[in-house]
């Protein structure tokens, strides 16, 4: 690997920009994501920034139970994110539908059927520390060695 590639890998892994999309939640997980931004968890100290603009994002956080109405919109958001990119499913809703997974509802979990998911964070809702850990894990698995794998 060249020095330039090493520098690119290092910079990429230390500057993760996050967007999030809520495909139908009770807002419990949204609050935990917002808590990551507050001084107690201070997500920016790890080089993770939330802008919520898919064109500038590296990581997409998906929250909520997926409903068919989201099919085109979620695919559109995912396509707007430039490579390298990763999606993280936050909470039980995008993994299993959680409390919304009943016969009379129209949800279609898991979200990984619809876009590639690099990490899942179970919990109803998961703790901010678990959300943070998941973002850091995709940072290491997707971004830290991107240049060597995609010369
Ligand atoms: S996982 Fe639980 S807290 Fe999160 S959106 Fe679903 S029902 Fe709400």
């Amino acid at each position: 690997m060249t020095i330039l590639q090493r520098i690119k890998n290092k910079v990429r892994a230390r500057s993760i920009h996050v967007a999030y999309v809520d495909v139908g939640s009770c807002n419990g997980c949204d609050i935990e994501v917002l808590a990551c931004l507050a001084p107690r968890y201070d997500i920016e100290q790890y080089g993770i920034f939330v802008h919520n603009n898919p064109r500038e994002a590296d990581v997409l956080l998906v929250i909520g139970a997926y409903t068919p109405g989201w099919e085109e919109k979620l695919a559109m958001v995912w396509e707007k994110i430039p490579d390298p990119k990763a999606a993280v499913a936050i909470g039980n809703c995008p993994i299993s539908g959680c409390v919304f997974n009943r016969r009379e509802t129209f949800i279609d979990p898991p979200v990984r059927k619809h876009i590639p998911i690099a990490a899942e964070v179970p919990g109803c809702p998961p703790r901010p520390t678990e959300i943070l850990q998941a973002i850091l894990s995709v940072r290491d698995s997707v971004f830290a060695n991107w240049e060597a794998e995609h010369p």
Side-chain angles (χ1 to χ4, degrees):
M1 206 178 2
T2 65
I3 291 181
L4 185 61
Q5 286 175 318
R6 278 175 213 267
I7 292 171
K8 275 188 177 177
N9 277 342
K10 214 164 223 179
V11 171
R12 257 201 196 111
R14 280 163 181 71
S15 176
I16 301 290
H17 293 246
V18 173
Y20 67 90
V21 62
D22 182 340
V23 294
S25 79
C26 75
N27 286 357
C29 288
D30 296 78
I31 291 166
E32 301 304 318
V33 170
L34 290 179
C36 293
L37 305 175
R40 179 166 184 163
Y41 298 101
D42 189 15
I43 202 170
E44 292 191 356
Q45 71 182 299
Y46 302 97
I48 302 167
F49 307 94
V50 179
H51 293 305
N52 222 18
N53 177 356
R55 291 188 198 281
E56 293 178 15
D58 305 299
V59 173
L60 180 67
L61 304 183
V62 186
I63 299 161
Y66 183 93
T67 51
W70 271 94
E71 194 164 342
E72 275 180 34
K73 291 177 216 155
L74 186 62
M76 206 169 70
V77 170
W78 179 244
E79 278 184 16
K80 280 184 182 172
I81 301 176
D83 281 327
K85 59 186 174 183
V88 179
I90 304 292
N92 288 348
C93 276
I95 299 171
S96 66
C98 196
V99 291
F100 302 111
N101 198 352
R102 297 173 189 277
R103 214 177 307 161
E104 66 272 19
T105 62
F106 296 99
I107 63 165
D108 188 19
V111 166
R112 65 173 172 272
K113 278 194 315 197
H114 309 284
I115 59 169
I117 296 289
E120 293 178 331
V121 192
C124 182
R127 292 165 184 268
T129 47
E130 294 165 335
I131 296 169
L132 190 50
Q133 270 174 1
I135 300 172
L136 292 175
S137 78
V138 299
R139 178 192 72 176
D140 295 338
S141 62
V142 177
F143 301 97
N145 209 25
W146 178 265
E147 285 299 317
E149 290 162 4
H150 302 83

